């Protein structure tokens, strides 16, 4: 810094009031060679008690049930449609205006068929349609990871929430027993313009 800058800085520093008193850290004096720390001795292995990894971990009482998770998620989702129509729909009193049966299709066949059906139903002014997926087969596999029952049953709600169908779908619920129960979905569409 130049002498003028230093003089200006000194004047500013004298007129300023500090916000808090300066904290000065006490520096520890360097250890003398006589005070060097001796490392702790290593314990022999015989002194350690035998153990198994995870022996004290809490055991899970039940394996996860993916089928119940999907049903509960849909049942507890907020209602986005008219509440009176919702009550009639969940009791099986509303008649679906259209239906598509995806049962037996592969994912690559079902996705375009569902997309075409929903967009055509919306263009036609339909409000409630039924999408039949089937419940899926029980598979006895010795895998430690549970496998979802009914691939289409789990995939269809995701397809209905994502674009382009998410823009026309207002609500999705499991169908009443009269219309297929857990193997079918009511899809309530938005009003077409």
């Amino acid at each position: 810094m130049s002498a003028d800058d230093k003089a200006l800085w000194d004047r500013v520093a004298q007129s300023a009031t500090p916000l808090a008193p300066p904290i000065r850290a006490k520096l520890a004096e360097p250890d003398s060679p006589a005070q060097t720390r001796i490392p702790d001795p290593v314990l022999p292995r015989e002194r350690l008690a035998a153990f198994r990894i995870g022996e004290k971990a809490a055991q899970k009482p039940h394996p996860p049930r993916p089928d119940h998770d999907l049903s509960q998620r849909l049942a507890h989702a907020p209602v986005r449609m008219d509440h009176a129509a919702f009550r009639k729909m969940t009791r099986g009193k509303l008649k679906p205006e259209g239906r598509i049966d995806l049962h037996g299709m592969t994912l690559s066949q079902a996705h375009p068929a569902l997309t075409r059906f929903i967009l055509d139903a919306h263009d036609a002014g339909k409000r409630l349609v039924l999408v039949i997926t089937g419940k899926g087969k029980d598979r006895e596999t010795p895998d430690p990871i549970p496998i979802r029952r009914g691939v289409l049953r789990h995939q269809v709600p995701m397809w209905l929430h994502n674009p382009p169908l998410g823009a026309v779908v207002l609500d999705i619920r499991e169908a009443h027993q009269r219309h297929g129960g857990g193997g079918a979905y009511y899809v309530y569409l938005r009003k077409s313009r």
Side-chain angles (χ1 to χ4, degrees):
M1 278 197 313
S2 67
D4 292 337
D5 290 339
K6 177 116 173 85
L8 178 63
W9 180 253
D10 289 338
R11 280 191 312 207
V12 170
Q14 289 173 356
S15 66
T17 56
L19 294 176
I23 300 172
R24 302 202 190 268
K26 291 185 178 180
L27 297 176
E29 295 180 15
D31 293 338
S32 63
Q35 295 178 344
T36 57
R37 186 173 174 188
I38 301 170
D40 294 335
V42 178
L43 296 175
R45 290 189 184 257
E46 295 83 44
R47 289 187 152 184
L48 295 176
F51 69 94
R52 288 183 46 224
I53 294 176
E55 66 185 5
K56 292 186 178 180
Q59 298 295 323
K60 292 185 179 178
H62 303 288
R65 305 254 335 244
D67 293 343
H68 290 280
D69 293 342
L70 176 67
S71 299
Q72 289 174 358
R73 259 197 330 249
L74 288 175
H76 295 302
V79 177
R80 295 170 25 184
M81 58 187 278
D82 179 47
H83 286 278
F86 175 75
R87 279 192 301 277
K88 286 180 183 177
M89 181 183 75
T90 54
R91 292 178 183 155
K93 303 292 183 190
L94 279 181
K95 184 178 178 187
E97 301 172 53
R99 69 176 49 215
I100 184 171
D101 190 354
L102 303 176
H103 189 254
M105 291 186 184
T106 63
L107 290 175
S108 60
Q109 294 169 335
H111 192 209
L114 177 69
T115 303
R116 189 176 330 106
F117 170 74
I118 295 293
L119 293 177
D120 289 347
H122 182 257
D123 289 341
K126 296 178 181 178
R127 294 301 304 271
L128 180 66
V129 293
L130 185 69
V131 177
I132 301 167
T133 61
K135 293 183 181 179
K137 296 179 183 176
D138 275 331
R139 291 187 173 89
E140 294 296 327
T141 58
D143 294 338
I145 300 171
I147 296 174
R148 287 191 261 177
R149 182 177 172 203
V151 176
L152 277 176
R153 184 170 172 259
H154 287 276
Q155 199 68 32
V156 164
M158 188 176 73
W159 289 340
L160 292 171
H161 282 298
N162 291 338
L165 300 180
V168 297
V169 172
L170 186 62
D171 213 342
I172 305 164
R173 299 292 163 165
E174 277 192 0
H176 187 268
Q177 283 302 116
R178 177 178 304 171
H179 295 122
Y185 293 111
Y186 289 131
V187 181
Y188 201 79
L189 304 175
R190 296 180 189 278
K191 287 183 181 177
S192 57
R193 294 187 169 100

